[in-house]
Amino acid sequence: MTTAPAEAAALAAPKPESAPVQAPTAPATESVAVPADLAPAIAEKDLELAPPSATAAAARVGWMDRLKSGLKRTGGSITTVFTGTQIDEALYEDLEAALLMADSGVAATDYLLQDLKRRVKETRATQPAQVKALLQDAIADLLAPLERPLVVGVYHPTVIMVAGVNGAGKTTSIGKLTKHLADAGATVLLAAADTFRAAAREQLAVWANRNQVEIISQQGADPSAVSFDAVAAGRARDMDVVLVDTAGRLPTQKHLMEELTKIRRVVTKADVTAPHEVILVIDGNTGQNGLAQVKAFDDSAKLTGLVVTKLDGTAKGGVLCAIAREKPVPVYFIGVGEQLEDLQTFNAREFAQALVG
């Protein structure tokens, strides 16, 4: 599993679209392609980062509002627990029910309740409103291990496989990520390895055309062969990133899951260090099924990160707590809508605040 360098720092200020991406003054193996507004990591020890611009700060506030709106149903059900006047066993029982309804899962719910009771005792909280704030802290701490930036450029090209079930928003998420990378000046090559659906190839081709990036697509070809050719082409053309769109599949479709393993194996033949990232896109509305998907896809493809989509109006937002407790795969991005700006980096504190309401 490829991880970000220990010295990586978050870049908050977006670069102007006209400005080229400046490579760090480190060896070539540490250069990075910088997404414009996704707070990516910079692999450079001595780089001094400028403070966030007013525009970037305002954009993040707008994102927080959209996230709160998307998790309104989850947050509303949890908030009602704290409308009483006493901190008693009834409050904890109601909170347990609300967390389970939010699909936090039994393991994460039990952990959060025990942690919350400890915090209440240590702080000597006497008001339900205080307990609510402590719950936000508990959830933020639980989710903190999932907060990790996606780093590209440590390998050249950085090969990213993207998987997910049909309908999760996999291809759209690839398109949005491509847009951010291209806007930052990174060269991106797309691989249409979802050869089972013509619509998937066509959709990816639209994103390639819109972002003015290259695409490798072969109708009816073997997905592994397309992936191999794309990685080889990425190396030959000196691309920064190769994004491989794999076929949408259910964890129960054994032959397709085995094919995912094959794609990974063949990609390694094209580049012995690849794939550098294997990202699973999950639909935030699927709740505990999302956790099951993470476990199954990790078994087949060794996941390095997640993109959680469609957190718009869901009452299932607690699933990230379940993932953090039972299968802590980093969450690189979360999405709350169809617009480009609706895909943003995951921040544990922001998510906890939106989740609790």
Side-chain angles (χ1 to χ4, degrees), residues 62-287:
W63 157 252
M64 188 63 184
D65 290 339
R66 294 196 299 278
L67 180 59
K68 286 181 177 178
S69 177
L71 293 173
K72 186 175 181 179
R73 288 177 61 190
T74 302
S77 63
I78 295 177
T79 296
T80 57
V81 173
F82 302 102
T83 56
T85 59
Q86 297 183 40
I87 302 175
D88 53 19
E89 198 58 36
L91 182 148
Y92 291 118
E93 289 178 359
D94 290 344
L95 180 57
E96 179 181 27
L99 289 172
L100 290 173
M101 287 294 293
D103 267 330
S104 295
V106 174
T109 296
D110 288 345
Y111 175 83
L112 285 172
L113 288 174
Q114 293 304 314
D115 189 30
L116 180 61
K117 290 177 181 179
R118 177 187 60 80
R119 292 170 188 261
V120 169
K121 182 178 180 180
E122 290 179 353
T123 61
R124 298 181 181 179
T126 59
Q127 301 296 324
Q130 294 174 292
V131 180
K132 179 180 177 181
L134 292 173
L135 177 62
Q136 288 182 344
D137 293 340
I139 292 176
D141 287 348
L142 175 63
L143 297 179
L146 304 186
E147 185 181 320
R148 190 184 303 171
L150 171 65
V151 176
V152 300
V154 176
Y155 297 93
H156 197 80
T158 298
V159 180
I160 304 174
M161 284 176 54
V162 185
V165 303
N166 287 328
K170 174 174 56 68
T171 305
T172 299
S173 295
I174 291 174
K176 291 178 180 179
L177 180 56
T178 301
K179 172 65 174 174
H180 287 295
L181 289 166
D183 283 351
T187 54
V188 182
L189 177 64
L190 298 180
D194 185 351
T195 59
F196 287 97
R197 292 191 308 128
R201 296 194 306 277
E202 293 169 2
Q203 185 182 5
L204 198 65
V206 169
W207 278 107
N209 182 65
R210 184 182 302 172
N211 297 321
Q212 296 183 323
V213 301
E214 298 181 55
I215 183 172
I216 301 294
S217 179
Q218 301 173 24
Q219 183 175 359
D222 179 76
S224 298
V226 174
S227 302
F228 181 93
D229 290 347
V231 175
R235 297 181 67 183
R237 301 174 193 179
D238 198 29
M239 291 288 177
D240 295 316
V241 181
V242 175
L243 276 168
V244 181
D245 181 16
T246 66
R249 64 203 72 211
L250 294 171
T252 54
Q253 295 174 305
K254 185 177 180 181
H255 66 294
L256 288 180
M257 295 299 286
E258 289 175 347
E259 182 188 78
L260 190 62
T261 304
K262 178 184 176 182
I263 292 174
R264 181 186 175 96
R265 186 171 62 250
V266 171
V267 163
T268 302
K269 291 182 179 179
D271 182 342
V272 69
T273 67
H276 308 110
E277 296 284 349
V278 181
I279 298 176
L280 176 66
V281 178
I282 61 173
D283 182 341
N285 288 293
T286 59

